[in-house]
Amino acid sequence: QVQLVESGGGLVQTGGSLRLSCAVSGSIYSINYMRWYRQAPGKQREWVATVTSGGSTSYADSVRGRFTISSAKNTVYLQMNSLKPEDTAVYYCNLKNVRNDDYWGRGIQVTVSS
């Protein structure tokens, strides 16, 4: 089966940095793009960033200039700098392959203290 496993979350002070990783295993076919989402308690899940198979990136306005998404073979990263309390959420990685299959990780907690 396909698995996406996030790592690198935790507790950090305002202004600090974390690097999230999402390792993909299984028969995923060819990757179209990978994305990061996040969801804070009581709020809807929101899109954070996307990296395509060609290396193009895009970001939500709330994180642009602070977060950087990148990818390697079957892995996606999210470098998070200048973290703010409003970045506190469960972060999920998402993979869409060229067949339009959609896969999600289990999520990982990021907490930014004031």
Side-chain angles (χ1 to χ4, degrees), residues 24 26 31-32 34 47 51 56-57 59-60 69 82:
V24 181
I31 297 172
N32 189 355
M34 298 187 73
W47 168 75
V51 59
S56 298
T57 59
Y59 299 92
I69 189 170
S82 302

Side-chain angles (χ1 to χ4, degrees), residues 65-100:
R66 300 187 298 120
F67 291 11
T68 302
I69 189 170
S70 61
S71 64
K73 183 177 176 63
N74 295 335
T75 307
V76 63
Y77 305 94
L78 187 68
Q79 178 68 47
M80 305 184 294
N81 298 326
S82 302
L83 283 162
K84 307 173 181 179
E86 50 263 47
D87 296 317
T88 296
V90 176
Y91 284 70
Y92 300 87
C93 63
N94 165 252
L95 181 157
K96 181 163 286 188
N97 65 21
V98 297
R99 302 187 303 180
N100 210 37

Side-chain angles (χ1 to χ4, degrees), residues 1-113:
Q1 65 273 355
V2 174
Q3 292 189 70
L4 281 67
V5 180
E6 301 96 337
S7 62
L11 175 65
V12 66
Q13 295 278 350
T14 297
S17 297
L18 287 171
R19 190 191 193 200
L20 303 183
S21 300
C22 179
V24 181
S25 62
S27 299
I28 58 173
Y29 202 65
S30 295
I31 297 172
N32 189 355
Y33 56 82
M34 298 187 73
R35 300 176 292 192
W36 286 96
Y37 284 77
R38 66 186 183 186
Q39 187 169 26
K43 297 184 178 180
Q44 295 183 351
R45 187 172 299 188
E46 65 174 336
W47 168 75
V48 174
T50 297
V51 59
T52 72
S53 61
S56 298
T57 59
S58 57
Y59 299 92
D61 290 343
S62 58
V63 306
R64 188 176 296 109
R66 300 187 298 120
F67 291 11
T68 302
I69 189 170
S70 61
S71 64
K73 183 177 176 63
N74 295 335
T75 307
V76 63
Y77 305 94
L78 187 68
Q79 178 68 47
M80 305 184 294
N81 298 326
S82 302
L83 283 162
K84 307 173 181 179
E86 50 263 47
D87 296 317
T88 296
V90 176
Y91 284 70
Y92 300 87
C93 63
N94 165 252
L95 181 157
K96 181 163 286 188
N97 65 21
V98 297
R99 302 187 303 180
N100 210 37
D101 297 324
D102 206 29
Y103 302 97
W104 291 87
R106 66 180 184 268
I108 190 164
Q109 180 70 45
V110 171
T111 303
V112 184
S113 63

